[in-house]
């Protein structure tokens, strides 16, 4: 295994790599989902990555379902939302890898009172 440090001068290999390999373009300051997500969404649909077969009667595999809340009604998303989505994704994938019939079901309301307040306010 290669050490994280070079023999000459103690410079990290990462620094040497960044000097030799230049980025082909500047990265945008903000994430631009339209440039990326449309292509991947089409691929996911073509490959049926969202599809979950209904288990046949007598199927011995256990079933795991997780309900995915809708977007925040206030429109203010924060790191807590990202953390929550990431954790749910990990849990569903982990169950699927363990042989479960796993379904991550979108659109269930987890904040009915907050939603009602926002609707009534407008």
């Amino acid at each position: 295994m290669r050490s994280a440090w070079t023999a000459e001068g103690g410079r990290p290999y990462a620094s040497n790599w960044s000097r030799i390999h230049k980025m082909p373009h500047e990265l945008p300051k903000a994430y631009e989902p339209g440039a990326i997500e449309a292509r991947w969404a089409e691929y996911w649909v073509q490959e049926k990555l969202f599809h979950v077969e209904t288990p046949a009667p007598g199927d011995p595999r256990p079933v795991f379902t997780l309900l995915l809340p809708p977007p925040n009604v206030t429109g203010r998303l924060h790191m807590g939302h990202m953390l929550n989505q990431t954790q749910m994704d990990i849990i569903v994938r982990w169950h699927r890898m363990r042989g479960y019939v796993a379904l991550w079901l979108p659109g269930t309301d987890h904040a009915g009172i907050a939603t009602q307040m926002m609707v009534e306010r407008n």
Side-chain angles (χ1 to χ4, degrees):
M1 177 178 249
R2 193 172 188 181
S3 169
W5 298 89
T6 63
E8 64 281 342
R11 289 185 176 153
Y13 280 114
S15 295
N16 292 337
W17 186 93
S18 62
R19 282 197 332 260
I20 296 167
H21 300 88
K22 298 295 180 194
M23 292 293 287
H25 62 282
E26 290 293 317
L27 293 175
K29 294 197 182 287
Y31 176 61
E32 298 173 14
I36 297 166
E37 292 181 0
R39 187 183 104 214
W40 283 111
E42 181 181 332
Y43 172 79
W44 294 334
V45 170
Q46 284 177 345
E47 297 296 317
K48 297 183 179 180
L49 298 178
F50 297 117
H51 183 75
V52 177
E53 288 287 335
T54 301
D59 188 336
R61 295 178 298 167
V63 175
F64 179 79
T65 305
L66 187 64
L67 305 178
L68 171 65
N72 192 343
V73 71
T74 64
R76 293 186 186 123
L77 299 179
H78 51 75
M79 291 302 286
H81 291 99
M82 181 275 311
L83 177 61
N84 188 37
Q85 302 299 322
T86 302
Q87 290 171 333
M88 287 190 286
D89 184 40
I90 290 167
I91 291 168
V92 172
R93 289 173 191 255
W94 179 64
H95 278 87
R96 187 170 290 149
M97 289 188 304
R98 294 175 58 216
Y100 284 66
V101 176
L103 174 64
W104 194 7
L105 183 65
T108 56
D109 190 3
H110 71 295
I113 295 171
T115 302
Q116 182 177 349
M117 286 177 50
M118 291 301 295
V119 169
E120 289 177 0
R121 194 178 295 171
N122 295 329

